């Protein structure tokens, strides 16, 4: 009891500073992620998905390796754990990284290549809604019916985005593309929920995953018979890896570890807004029906996030 009385004021005193730092890292991640769809769209117009993904994972691996190298200065190496518990402790973060980084990015770019990028982007960014809803459900929401209606409206919005207001048929893109976009959202939602609960630092978590991604996408390129030539696309592809994938994931992971109560998830809702705006400025178009769907998706995410904050404040 005595320990608890001292711990709670201490956490309260640091809560404001930790929350501010978390929001700064989250804002950095959102700023980088907002450029992902636009740059990815330009590269996919003339290059294969496998080639773009290989460059991404190479760029990300370089960034994670540099962060890991810098992080070793002044740090102590942990002694390896013995027995099955040590192996289990190592495998869990590895699996989380594979699902969160490799699964999210590969499925997202398969979606980008299989359907209109602006639609794939909006569907893939339903993950903040999934994260916020999961956190609230696990924390026993005060208004479950309202939460359910709000989440349902969000997925109605997704359906409107997919339909795009077209009269002839709904799925104008490849069905696999829409499934890949949803799969990407699920992978990122899983990563965002779990990574903040792991003791493993982001650099230890992400570097092995990026290296696996490099190996897998290299084999993919070999299978596709990719022809390599030196050009500006190399820099653009490496930027996608170093920026949105590398620093974006690192900043987001740091934000989640500093966050108290899952509040930084609200910042993620800015990503579909900013990225959709950039895509629209580049010439991508949404029908009025799809715009209405986008508003429902983003509005539902914000509403669920507000509910989460209120639930946390009343806990």
């Amino acid at each position: 009891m005595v320990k608890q009385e001292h711990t709670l004021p201490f956490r309260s005193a640091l809560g404001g500073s930790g929350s501010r730092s978390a929001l700064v890292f989250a804002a950095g991640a959102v700023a980088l992620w907002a450029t992902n769809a636009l740059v990815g769209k330009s590269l996919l117009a003339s290059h294969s998905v496998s080639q773009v993904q290989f460059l991404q994972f190479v760029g990300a691996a370089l960034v994670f390796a540099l962060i890991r190298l810098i992080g070793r200065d002044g740090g102590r190496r942990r002694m390896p754990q013995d027995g099955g518990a040590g192996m289990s402790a190592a495998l869990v973060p590895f699996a989380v990284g594979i699902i969160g980084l490799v699964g999210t990015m590969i499925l997202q770019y398969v979606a980008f290549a299989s359907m209109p990028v602006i639609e794939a982007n909006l569907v893939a960014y339903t993950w903040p809604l999934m994260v916020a809803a999961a956190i609230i459900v696990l924390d026993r929401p005060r208004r479950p019916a309202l939460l359910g209606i709000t989440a349902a409206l969000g997925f109605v919005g997704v359906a409107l985005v997919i339909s795009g207001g077209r009269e002839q048929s709904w799925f104008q893109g490849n069905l696999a593309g829409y499934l890949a976009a949803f799969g990407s959202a699920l992978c990122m939602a899983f990563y965002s929920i779990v990574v903040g609960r792991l003791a493993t630092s982001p650099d230890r978590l992400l570097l092995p995953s990026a290296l696996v991604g490099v190996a897998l996408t290299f084999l993919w390129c070999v299978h596709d018979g990719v022809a390599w030539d030196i050009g500006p696309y190399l820099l653009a592809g490496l930027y996608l890896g170093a920026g949105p994938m590398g620093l974006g994931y690192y900043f987001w992971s740091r934000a989640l570890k500093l966050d108290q109560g899952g509040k930084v998830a609200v910042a993620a809702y800015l990503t579909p807004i900013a990225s959709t705006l950039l895509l629209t400025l580049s010439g991508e178009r949404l029908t009025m029906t799809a715009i209405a769907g986008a508003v429902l998706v983003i509005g539902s995410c914000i509403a669920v996030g507000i509910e989460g904050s209120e639930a946390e404040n009343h806990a």
Side-chain angles (χ1 to χ4, degrees):
M1 292 298 294
V2 174
K3 183 177 180 181
Q4 185 177 13
E5 289 174 1
H6 285 286
T7 302
L8 290 176
F10 179 71
R11 289 184 62 183
S12 177
L14 292 181
S17 175
S19 296
R20 284 193 295 270
S21 298
L23 287 175
V24 169
F25 279 117
V30 168
L32 290 167
W33 287 342
T35 65
N36 177 54
L38 180 61
V39 179
K41 170 196 168 187
S42 64
L43 280 177
L44 289 172
S46 54
H47 298 86
S48 67
V49 181
S50 58
Q51 193 171 22
V52 174
Q53 285 281 274
F54 176 73
L55 290 172
Q56 276 191 292
F57 279 106
V58 168
L62 291 174
V63 166
F64 296 146
L66 180 60
I67 293 172
R68 183 82 186 98
L69 183 63
I70 295 173
R72 283 183 177 178
D73 296 338
R76 294 182 178 179
R77 292 191 178 184
R78 296 180 179 179
M79 296 298 294
Q81 295 176 312
D82 296 327
M87 181 174 292
S88 176
L91 288 177
V92 170
F94 181 73
V96 171
I98 294 295
I99 294 171
L101 183 69
V102 181
T104 298
M105 297 309 301
I106 288 181
L107 288 173
Q108 185 182 78
Y109 270 75
V110 168
F112 282 175
S114 306
M115 59 188 286
V117 173
I118 195 166
E119 295 181 8
N121 189 60
L122 284 167
V123 174
Y125 275 104
T126 57
W127 68 261
L129 176 61
M130 298 177 186
V131 170
I135 290 174
I136 294 174
V137 168
L138 292 174
D139 290 342
R140 296 177 183 177
R142 295 181 301 121
R143 297 187 289 265
L146 178 61
L147 174 62
I149 293 172
T150 303
L153 285 175
F155 287 103
V156 167
V158 172
L160 291 176
V161 169
I162 293 174
S163 73
R166 303 179 183 92
E167 295 180 357
Q168 295 181 351
S169 64
W170 274 39
F171 297 98
Q172 293 293 306
N174 189 320
L175 177 59
Y178 292 101
L179 295 176
F182 275 114
S184 175
L186 286 171
C187 287
M188 189 60 187
F190 169 79
Y191 178 81
S192 296
I193 292 168
V194 176
V195 71
R197 305 169 188 266
L198 294 176
T200 308
S201 61
D203 54 300
R204 284 178 174 270
L205 181 74
L206 294 169
L207 178 56
S209 305
L211 292 175
V212 170
V214 170
L216 290 176
T217 52
F218 176 75
L219 293 175
W220 191 1
C221 287
V222 172
H223 177 270
D224 290 350
V226 169
W228 295 94
D229 57 329
I230 303 300
Y233 78 92
L234 285 173
L235 294 177
L238 291 175
Y239 163 75
L240 284 175
M245 186 188 290
L247 290 176
Y249 262 83
Y250 179 73
F251 288 163
W252 185 246
S253 301
R254 287 292 304 274
L256 291 171
K257 286 186 175 294
L258 291 169
D259 186 28
Q260 298 293 330
K263 295 178 182 178
V264 301
V266 178
Y269 310 146
L270 296 174
T271 308
I273 300 173
S275 56
T276 300
L277 177 61
L278 288 176
L279 287 170
T280 302
L281 292 175
S282 73
E284 289 278 331
R285 293 195 310 166
L286 283 174
T287 65
M288 290 304 297
T289 302
I291 290 173
V295 170
L296 279 176
V297 170
I298 295 166
S300 296
C301 287
I302 294 173
V304 171
I306 292 173
E307 171 69 14
S309 297
E310 291 181 357
E312 177 70 18
N313 292 333
H314 286 83

